Amino acid sequence: MTEAVTPPSPLDPPSFPTQKPGSASGAITPEDVRDGAVVALLLGAAGLLLGLLWLWLAPRVQYVSNGEAVFLRNSESEARIASDGTFFLLSLGLGVLSAVGTFLWRRAGGVPLVIGLAVGSVFGALVGWRFGLWLGPSSDLVAAAKQAGKGVPFDAPLELLAHGALLAWPMTAVLLHLGLTAVWTPRDPDPEPVFAWSGPYQAPTTPPADAAPSAPEAPRA
């Protein structure tokens, strides 16, 4: 016994092949997660470079001791503000390099790559800040004054008074990377329409009701 099969109607929407889970375009793959983790680790390690450059380029504040107390050698010096500005500018430069380097490495972008860029930049800024303080002069002013001697100026420890400068690297990296991705990444083609237009609907023609039925032809001898 065979089952009756209804032929498809031309007005029915076309059927699409079923997709397997995770096969849709734009899905996050393990390779994307791996790339984001690599970016985060590299930028975190680059924080050591930030600390070295900050220690090398930042202006120094100097103290002097009279044997009883420690004073600023130049009370009108703007070296502390310049030290924050140096850290801020270095962070901006590293943010630009991070965004451009990540984009050139993976032009397709993706959410894991942006997250890795943001997390790695924040961690790199923190590492650079603490590493610069650790490499710089000692924060024990009393011991430093005794070691320098009376009336001999000595360098003050590095300080980052404006902690908002820690956000310069991650904000620059993420915003610039998103801009580069939006402008230069090739976009996916537009999906095909679900219902194709095939012209106006026309009802099937039926013979008029008053038309006489045709007589059957007589059999020939």
Side-chain angles (χ1 to χ4, degrees):
M1 180 179 181
T2 59
E3 183 179 358
V5 178
T6 304
S9 172
L11 299 179
D12 295 337
S15 59
F16 297 94
T18 57
Q19 295 181 350
K20 297 180 180 180
S23 62
S25 60
I28 298 176
T29 62
E31 289 76 11
D32 297 334
V33 178
R34 179 200 61 192
D35 294 342
V38 169
V39 170
L41 291 176
L42 291 178
L43 294 184
L48 301 176
L49 177 61
L50 173 61
L52 289 173
L53 292 176
W54 184 38
L55 177 64
W56 179 36
L57 298 176
R60 302 298 177 86
V61 178
Q62 288 191 329
Y63 286 111
V64 65
S65 173
N66 60 359
E68 297 180 357
V70 177
F71 304 93
L72 283 172
R73 184 183 182 187
N74 185 5
S75 59
E76 298 181 356
S77 174
E78 298 181 355
R80 292 186 181 275
I81 300 177
S83 177
D84 291 356
T86 302
F87 188 91
F88 179 78
L89 293 177
L90 290 173
S91 299
L92 286 181
L94 289 175
V96 172
L97 292 177
S98 303
V100 174
T102 304
F103 175 74
L104 294 178
W105 181 49
R106 289 289 183 268
R107 290 179 178 269
V111 175
L113 206 62
V114 175
I115 294 177
L117 190 63
V119 173
S121 300
V122 172
F123 186 68
L126 293 174
V127 169
W129 172 40
R130 302 308 302 179
F131 189 60
L133 296 182
W134 180 71
L135 290 179
S138 174
S139 57
D140 190 352
L141 297 182
V142 176
K146 290 181 179 179
Q147 184 178 1
K150 182 178 179 181
V152 179
F154 60 93
D155 292 335
L158 282 176
E159 286 184 328
L160 186 64
L161 301 179
H163 291 168
L166 295 171
L167 299 177
W169 186 351
M171 291 183 64
T172 303
V174 172
L175 293 179
L176 182 57
H177 181 267
L178 291 177
L180 292 174
T181 304
V183 174
W184 297 106
T185 300
R187 300 184 180 181
D188 297 333
D190 296 334
E192 297 181 358
V194 177
F195 299 98
W197 178 255
S198 59
Y201 172 73
Q202 297 179 356
T205 59
T206 56
D210 55 351
S214 59
E217 185 178 357
R220 298 181 181 180

PDB file of all heavy atoms in Angstrom, residues 193-211:
ATOM      1  N   PRO A 193      16.683  36.200  -0.073  1.00  0.00           N
ATOM      2  CA  PRO A 193      15.333  36.351   0.477  1.00  0.00           C
ATOM      3  C   PRO A 193      14.639  35.002   0.601  1.00  0.00           C
ATOM      4  O   PRO A 193      14.835  34.088  -0.198  1.00  0.00           O
ATOM      5  CB  PRO A 193      14.639  37.255  -0.547  1.00  0.00           C
ATOM      6  CG  PRO A 193      15.423  37.081  -1.799  1.00  0.00           C
ATOM      7  CD  PRO A 193      16.838  36.829  -1.382  1.00  0.00           C
ATOM      8  N   VAL A 194      13.818  34.886   1.622  1.00  0.00           N
ATOM      9  CA  VAL A 194      13.115  33.632   1.870  1.00  0.00           C
ATOM     10  C   VAL A 194      12.056  33.394   0.808  1.00  0.00           C
ATOM     11  O   VAL A 194      11.905  32.292   0.275  1.00  0.00           O
ATOM     12  CB  VAL A 194      12.487  33.658   3.278  1.00  0.00           C
ATOM     13  CG1 VAL A 194      11.696  32.387   3.529  1.00  0.00           C
ATOM     14  CG2 VAL A 194      13.580  33.815   4.325  1.00  0.00           C
ATOM     15  N   PHE A 195      11.295  34.420   0.447  1.00  0.00           N
ATOM     16  CA  PHE A 195      10.239  34.304  -0.540  1.00  0.00           C
ATOM     17  C   PHE A 195      10.667  35.061  -1.793  1.00  0.00           C
ATOM     18  O   PHE A 195      10.890  36.267  -1.750  1.00  0.00           O
ATOM     19  CB  PHE A 195       8.910  34.876  -0.018  1.00  0.00           C
ATOM     20  CG  PHE A 195       8.414  34.160   1.204  1.00  0.00           C
ATOM     21  CD1 PHE A 195       8.640  34.677   2.466  1.00  0.00           C
ATOM     22  CD2 PHE A 195       7.744  32.958   1.087  1.00  0.00           C
ATOM     23  CE1 PHE A 195       8.193  34.013   3.590  1.00  0.00           C
ATOM     24  CE2 PHE A 195       7.279  32.289   2.210  1.00  0.00           C
ATOM     25  CZ  PHE A 195       7.504  32.821   3.465  1.00  0.00           C
ATOM     26  N   ALA A 196      10.812  34.322  -2.871  1.00  0.00           N
ATOM     27  CA  ALA A 196      11.178  34.949  -4.135  1.00  0.00           C
ATOM     28  C   ALA A 196       9.936  35.451  -4.841  1.00  0.00           C
ATOM     29  O   ALA A 196       8.921  34.747  -4.913  1.00  0.00           O
ATOM     30  CB  ALA A 196      11.930  33.948  -5.017  1.00  0.00           C
ATOM     31  N   TRP A 197       9.954  36.647  -5.412  1.00  0.00           N
ATOM     32  CA  TRP A 197       8.821  37.238  -6.106  1.00  0.00           C
ATOM     33  C   TRP A 197       8.756  36.694  -7.522  1.00  0.00           C
ATOM     34  O   TRP A 197       9.698  36.777  -8.289  1.00  0.00           O
ATOM     35  CB  TRP A 197       8.970  38.756  -6.124  1.00  0.00           C
ATOM     36  CG  TRP A 197       7.844  39.446  -6.886  1.00  0.00           C
ATOM     37  CD1 TRP A 197       7.928  39.991  -8.101  1.00  0.00           C
ATOM     38  CD2 TRP A 197       6.519  39.630  -6.443  1.00  0.00           C
ATOM     39  NE1 TRP A 197       6.743  40.514  -8.470  1.00  0.00           N
ATOM     40  CE2 TRP A 197       5.824  40.308  -7.474  1.00  0.00           C
ATOM     41  CE3 TRP A 197       5.822  39.271  -5.289  1.00  0.00           C
ATOM     42  CZ2 TRP A 197       4.495  40.654  -7.375  1.00  0.00           C
ATOM     43  CZ3 TRP A 197       4.491  39.631  -5.191  1.00  0.00           C
ATOM     44  CH2 TRP A 197       3.837  40.312  -6.219  1.00  0.00           C
ATOM     45  N   SER A 198       7.681  36.081  -7.832  1.00  0.00           N
ATOM     46  CA  SER A 198       7.526  35.465  -9.156  1.00  0.00           C
ATOM     47  C   SER A 198       6.382  36.078  -9.951  1.00  0.00           C
ATOM     48  O   SER A 198       5.802  35.433 -10.801  1.00  0.00           O
ATOM     49  CB  SER A 198       7.286  33.951  -9.018  1.00  0.00           C
ATOM     50  OG  SER A 198       6.120  33.711  -8.240  1.00  0.00           O
ATOM     51  N   GLY A 199       6.044  37.330  -9.652  1.00  0.00           N
ATOM     52  CA  GLY A 199       4.977  37.989 -10.398  1.00  0.00           C
ATOM     53  C   GLY A 199       3.658  37.918  -9.667  1.00  0.00           C
ATOM     54  O   GLY A 199       3.505  37.221  -8.656  1.00  0.00           O
ATOM     55  N   PRO A 200       2.658  38.622 -10.168  1.00  0.00           N
ATOM     56  CA  PRO A 200       1.347  38.614  -9.498  1.00  0.00           C
ATOM     57  C   PRO A 200       0.680  37.253  -9.596  1.00  0.00           C
ATOM     58  O   PRO A 200       0.889  36.490 -10.528  1.00  0.00           O
ATOM     59  CB  PRO A 200       0.561  39.687 -10.267  1.00  0.00           C
ATOM     60  CG  PRO A 200       1.233  39.750 -11.589  1.00  0.00           C
ATOM     61  CD  PRO A 200       2.675  39.463 -11.348  1.00  0.00           C
ATOM     62  N   TYR A 201      -0.119  36.956  -8.592  1.00  0.00           N
ATOM     63  CA  TYR A 201      -0.839  35.670  -8.555  1.00  0.00           C
ATOM     64  C   TYR A 201      -1.978  35.681  -9.565  1.00  0.00           C
ATOM     65  O   TYR A 201      -2.728  36.644  -9.670  1.00  0.00           O
ATOM     66  CB  TYR A 201      -1.376  35.433  -7.141  1.00  0.00           C
ATOM     67  CG  TYR A 201      -2.299  34.241  -7.036  1.00  0.00           C
ATOM     68  CD1 TYR A 201      -1.783  32.953  -7.096  1.00  0.00           C
ATOM     69  CD2 TYR A 201      -3.664  34.428  -6.892  1.00  0.00           C
ATOM     70  CE1 TYR A 201      -2.614  31.867  -7.005  1.00  0.00           C
ATOM     71  CE2 TYR A 201      -4.499  33.344  -6.802  1.00  0.00           C
ATOM     72  CZ  TYR A 201      -3.987  32.056  -6.863  1.00  0.00           C
ATOM     73  OH  TYR A 201      -4.819  30.984  -6.779  1.00  0.00           O
ATOM     74  N   GLN A 202      -2.078  34.612 -10.284  1.00  0.00           N
ATOM     75  CA  GLN A 202      -3.151  34.450 -11.267  1.00  0.00           C
ATOM     76  C   GLN A 202      -3.944  33.200 -10.929  1.00  0.00           C
ATOM     77  O   GLN A 202      -3.372  32.114 -10.767  1.00  0.00           O
ATOM     78  CB  GLN A 202      -2.588  34.336 -12.687  1.00  0.00           C
ATOM     79  CG  GLN A 202      -1.845  35.590 -13.157  1.00  0.00           C
ATOM     80  CD  GLN A 202      -1.287  35.433 -14.544  1.00  0.00           C
ATOM     81  OE1 GLN A 202      -1.392  34.353 -15.135  1.00  0.00           O
ATOM     82  NE2 GLN A 202      -0.719  36.490 -15.081  1.00  0.00           N
ATOM     83  N   ALA A 203      -5.262  33.366 -10.823  1.00  0.00           N
ATOM     84  CA  ALA A 203      -6.135  32.234 -10.507  1.00  0.00           C
ATOM     85  C   ALA A 203      -6.258  31.325 -11.725  1.00  0.00           C
ATOM     86  O   ALA A 203      -6.218  31.779 -12.864  1.00  0.00           O
ATOM     87  CB  ALA A 203      -7.517  32.740 -10.079  1.00  0.00           C
ATOM     88  N   PRO A 204      -6.377  30.032 -11.498  1.00  0.00           N
ATOM     89  CA  PRO A 204      -6.549  29.117 -12.641  1.00  0.00           C
ATOM     90  C   PRO A 204      -7.867  29.372 -13.373  1.00  0.00           C
ATOM     91  O   PRO A 204      -8.896  29.695 -12.769  1.00  0.00           O
ATOM     92  CB  PRO A 204      -6.515  27.738 -11.983  1.00  0.00           C
ATOM     93  CG  PRO A 204      -6.903  27.976 -10.565  1.00  0.00           C
ATOM     94  CD  PRO A 204      -6.374  29.330 -10.213  1.00  0.00           C
ATOM     95  N   THR A 205      -7.822  29.294 -14.686  1.00  0.00           N
ATOM     96  CA  THR A 205      -9.011  29.530 -15.514  1.00  0.00           C
ATOM     97  C   THR A 205      -9.913  28.308 -15.523  1.00  0.00           C
ATOM     98  O   THR A 205      -9.458  27.158 -15.590  1.00  0.00           O
ATOM     99  CB  THR A 205      -8.584  29.857 -16.952  1.00  0.00           C
ATOM    100  OG1 THR A 205      -7.827  28.768 -17.459  1.00  0.00           O
ATOM    101  CG2 THR A 205      -7.729  31.115 -16.987  1.00  0.00           C
ATOM    102  N   THR A 206     -11.244  28.542 -15.427  1.00  0.00           N
ATOM    103  CA  THR A 206     -12.252  27.474 -15.451  1.00  0.00           C
ATOM    104  C   THR A 206     -13.221  27.758 -16.594  1.00  0.00           C
ATOM    105  O   THR A 206     -13.522  28.917 -16.930  1.00  0.00           O
ATOM    106  CB  THR A 206     -13.022  27.412 -14.131  1.00  0.00           C
ATOM    107  OG1 THR A 206     -13.598  28.692 -13.860  1.00  0.00           O
ATOM    108  CG2 THR A 206     -12.075  27.060 -12.983  1.00  0.00           C
ATOM    109  N   PRO A 207     -13.724  26.741 -17.233  1.00  0.00           N
ATOM    110  CA  PRO A 207     -14.682  26.971 -18.323  1.00  0.00           C
ATOM    111  C   PRO A 207     -15.980  27.575 -17.796  1.00  0.00           C
ATOM    112  O   PRO A 207     -16.356  27.372 -16.639  1.00  0.00           O
ATOM    113  CB  PRO A 207     -14.913  25.568 -18.885  1.00  0.00           C
ATOM    114  CG  PRO A 207     -14.564  24.650 -17.752  1.00  0.00           C
ATOM    115  CD  PRO A 207     -13.477  25.321 -16.995  1.00  0.00           C
ATOM    116  N   PRO A 208     -16.669  28.385 -18.614  1.00  0.00           N
ATOM    117  CA  PRO A 208     -17.940  28.982 -18.153  1.00  0.00           C
ATOM    118  C   PRO A 208     -18.970  27.904 -17.860  1.00  0.00           C
ATOM    119  O   PRO A 208     -18.960  26.810 -18.437  1.00  0.00           O
ATOM    120  CB  PRO A 208     -18.352  29.877 -19.331  1.00  0.00           C
ATOM    121  CG  PRO A 208     -17.617  29.339 -20.499  1.00  0.00           C
ATOM    122  CD  PRO A 208     -16.344  28.769 -19.973  1.00  0.00           C
ATOM    123  N   ALA A 209     -19.873  28.246 -16.943  1.00  0.00           N
ATOM    124  CA  ALA A 209     -20.881  27.267 -16.515  1.00  0.00           C
ATOM    125  C   ALA A 209     -21.880  26.932 -17.615  1.00  0.00           C
ATOM    126  O   ALA A 209     -22.418  25.820 -17.668  1.00  0.00           O
ATOM    127  CB  ALA A 209     -21.624  27.783 -15.279  1.00  0.00           C
ATOM    128  N   ASP A 210     -22.242  27.895 -18.537  1.00  0.00           N
ATOM    129  CA  ASP A 210     -23.251  27.642 -19.561  1.00  0.00           C
ATOM    130  C   ASP A 210     -22.700  26.974 -20.809  1.00  0.00           C
ATOM    131  O   ASP A 210     -23.400  26.760 -21.789  1.00  0.00           O
ATOM    132  CB  ASP A 210     -23.928  28.961 -19.974  1.00  0.00           C
ATOM    133  CG  ASP A 210     -22.895  29.981 -20.429  1.00  0.00           C
ATOM    134  OD1 ASP A 210     -21.674  29.706 -20.260  1.00  0.00           O
ATOM    135  OD2 ASP A 210     -23.314  31.059 -20.904  1.00  0.00           O
ATOM    136  N   ALA A 211     -21.422  26.644 -20.808  1.00  0.00           N
ATOM    137  CA  ALA A 211     -20.858  26.017 -21.986  1.00  0.00           C
ATOM    138  C   ALA A 211     -21.304  24.568 -22.069  1.00  0.00           C
ATOM    139  O   ALA A 211     -21.306  23.847 -21.069  1.00  0.00           O
ATOM    140  CB  ALA A 211     -19.339  26.086 -21.953  1.00  0.00           C
TER     141      ALA A 211
END
